[in-house]
Amino acid sequence: MSEASTPGPDPIRIPEQVIRIVRRLEEAGYETWCVGGAIRDALLGGAGTDVDLATAAPPTVVRSLFRRTIAVGIEHGTVGVLDEQGVLHEVTTFRHDVVTDGRHAVVAFGASLEEDLARRDFTINAIAYHPVHDRWADPFDGRADLARRVVRAVGDPAQRFREDRLRILRALRFASRLDFAIDPATWAAAVAQSSDIAHLSAERVRDEWVKGLRTARDPAALLRLWHTSGVAASWVPELEAARLEQPAPVLEDRDPPLLTAFYCTPSASVWRRFKGSTAEIRRAAAIDAGPPTPPAADGESVRRWMHAVGEAVTDLTRLAQWRGTTAGGWDDEVAATVLRGDATTRGQLAITGNDLIRAGIVTPGPALGVLLDRLLEAVLTDPARNHAPQLLDRARDLVREPAP
Ligand code: ATP
Ligand code: MG
């Protein structure tokens, strides 16, 4: 392979611990290169991520050459090597795909560097760098595509997407993260096969969705790609095209579930389709249930709305701020209500159900819940009523008179 490699423009900085691993493997007679995302990002001048190593050494040899190793993905040929500081470096044996079905690949070892690079998804991800000899292996002109700012499949895009449909979503993710264009042939193949994305597992699609929303320069740009390529149709039909044309929210924090709710209505169905966690589905369902804003910005309207939306208060307030639907400054009133500690839930009442039972006002059972709700009702009207003696008096009055 070395005869095909070329010197690069500038040597890139590879951590000393990584170089030591490369030397050790090469001294044992196994060609070893730095590959993948870290090389791409280093060439773009970005922050250093973990450097992945690709080696001719079989996994068993990698394990035998280093004192501390972890079998992180042994079926894919990946061994984790721990350096003196205990930092893990992934070392993967050169491999090529033997069987692909659009969802999984069966890989075989005993491949060359050239073959290993050929099975990678995009040219910008198929660049290898040798940190000892300062040599480059870039058989698919990934560095030229980095300079042109283009995401281009390695080889025939239609075939590469048929092998693994997830690559379609990865193309969209890298394009929006790096602010690159997608090469026309690669884009055409992605569009042509977009409906096949339906066959992918929910977990892999969800991971792409979440990673994409977290890393895109502009989430709306990523979602425009999901929309125009056609992949949104099978996995996120809730995506609202009109919203993609509006100004993007200010993203001081990346919160994929909240971004999903911003762009998709409803969003609980999205997380169910993605087989999301119970917490994710529940959070989205609470947002969907709304109402999205209080009817007015006065204290009582805001407290009653906070009571109605429960755990979705923070999310709905944030979404309304992004959408510019905080007329009258009700979001400030929400913050003030929280700051003052005004009760908007049963749990914030100055007395508990036990207090009512101990005072002999009510016995355990459904009547207790009804009574607590009526006390909360009174406190929502006037927070000044939230004191234990006052509430006990009110409770005594309430049990005497019939419920309205
Ligand atoms: P990130 O910064 O998102 O981790 P990355 O390029 O490191 O970007 P990974 O998903 O960590 O991406 O994969 C590491 C490398 O493995 C990629 O750079 C690419 O060469 C290869 N790769 C990953 N997934 C695929 C795939 N589905 N098909 C082909 N090659 C892949
Ligand atoms: Mg990576």
Side-chain angles (χ1 to χ4, degrees):
M1 180 65 218
S2 54
E3 61 279 4
S5 66
T6 52
D10 300 305
I12 55 171
R13 234 190 50 74
I14 300 294
E16 196 49 47
Q17 309 87 284
V18 174
I19 296 180
R20 245 177 268 145
I21 295 170
V22 172
R23 281 192 203 283
R24 181 99 184 82
L25 284 158
E26 296 233 327
E27 277 157 16
Y30 300 99
E31 182 187 357
T32 302
W33 294 72
C34 301
V35 290
I39 302 307
R40 175 197 68 222
D41 294 345
L43 284 166
L44 288 170
T49 45
D50 299 345
V51 180
D52 294 327
L53 296 174
T55 184
T60 46
V61 172
V62 177
R63 297 208 74 175
S64 71
L65 283 176
F66 299 93
R67 221 155 42 82
R68 289 196 295 164
T69 63
I70 298 174
V72 284
I74 212 78
E75 66 290 355
H76 305 114
T78 304
V79 173
V81 174
L82 292 162
D83 65 24
E84 295 80 356
Q85 281 87 48
V87 178
L88 187 119
H89 305 277
E90 290 197 354
V91 180
T92 306
T93 304
F94 293 153
R95 59 213 165 143
H96 61 270
D97 292 338
V98 282
V99 188
T100 52
D101 63 0
R103 289 165 63 99
H104 312 95
V106 177
V107 296
F109 308 133
S112 64
L113 173 67
E114 181 97 27
E115 286 171 310
D116 186 84
L117 293 176
R119 70 167 286 282
R120 291 173 186 268
D121 47 8
F122 305 109
T123 62
I124 57 173
N125 289 346
I127 305 167
Y129 176 69
H130 201 292
V132 176
H133 309 309
D134 183 29
R135 309 283 297 181
W136 292 87
D138 183 15
F140 307 104
D141 288 328
R143 282 173 299 169
D145 285 338
L146 280 177
R148 293 166 54 219
R149 305 175 67 77
V150 166
V151 175
R152 182 165 63 90
V154 168
D156 172 24
Q159 189 199 324
R160 302 312 309 285
F161 290 157
R162 270 195 301 277
E163 289 168 3
D164 181 0
R165 270 106 187 199
L166 194 77
R167 290 171 185 155
I168 297 174
L169 301 182
R170 287 174 59 87
L172 313 184
R173 169 158 66 88
F174 286 117
S176 53
R177 161 166 152 196
L178 303 171
D179 198 18
F180 276 25
I182 298 177
D183 184 73
T186 298
W187 175 254
V191 172
Q193 295 184 45
S194 61
S195 59
D196 296 331
I197 287 285
H199 305 300
L200 283 171
S201 78
E203 290 75 7
R204 292 183 86 199
V205 177
R206 183 188 66 220
D207 282 354
E208 274 301 321
W209 174 262
V210 168
K211 246 195 237 174
L213 287 176
R214 270 209 194 106
T215 57
R217 297 247 180 122
D218 171 7
L222 170 69
L223 298 184
R224 277 195 291 273
L225 292 176
W226 275 63
H227 180 68
T228 53
S229 65
V231 298
S234 45
W235 282 97
V236 271
E238 296 86 348
L239 186 63
E240 294 174 289
R243 181 143 278 146
L244 297 174
E245 307 309 323
Q246 294 163 6
V250 183
L251 296 163
E252 59 287 24
D253 50 354
R254 287 299 177 102
D255 183 344
L258 204 55
L259 281 169
T260 304
F262 183 72
Y263 288 108
C264 304
T265 309
S267 68
S269 46
V270 175
W271 294 102
R272 267 187 221 106
R273 200 175 298 113
F274 280 164
K275 297 201 169 89
S277 67
T278 311
E280 279 164 339
I281 295 168
R282 190 177 130 153
R283 183 177 172 195
I287 293 172
D288 292 343
T293 66
D298 63 278
E300 183 174 350
S301 300
V302 167
R303 284 191 299 278
R304 289 188 177 281
W305 175 77
M306 289 172 71
H307 171 61
V309 302
E311 59 186 308
V313 168
T314 314
D315 286 344
L316 288 172
T317 304
R318 194 109 189 108
L319 285 169
Q321 288 167 337
W322 287 354
R323 288 173 183 159
T325 51
T326 53
W330 62 260
D331 52 331
D332 292 337
E333 185 58 30
V334 169
T337 303
V338 172
L339 207 64
R340 283 192 302 264
D342 288 351
T344 59
T345 63
R346 268 193 199 176
Q348 289 172 294
L349 285 174
I351 56 165
T352 65
N354 273 333
D355 296 333
L356 293 168
I357 294 164
R358 258 184 270 125
I361 298 169
V362 68
T363 50
L368 176 60
V370 172
L371 187 55
L372 283 167
D373 280 341
R374 293 186 68 195
L375 292 174
L376 178 59
E377 173 62 31
V379 168
L380 288 171
T381 307
D382 181 4
R385 292 169 174 163
N386 195 18
H387 294 286
Q390 261 204 55
L391 290 180
L392 288 172
D393 284 348
R394 181 173 288 270
R396 283 190 194 95
D397 290 346
L398 285 169
V399 292
R400 272 197 289 273
E401 70 186 50

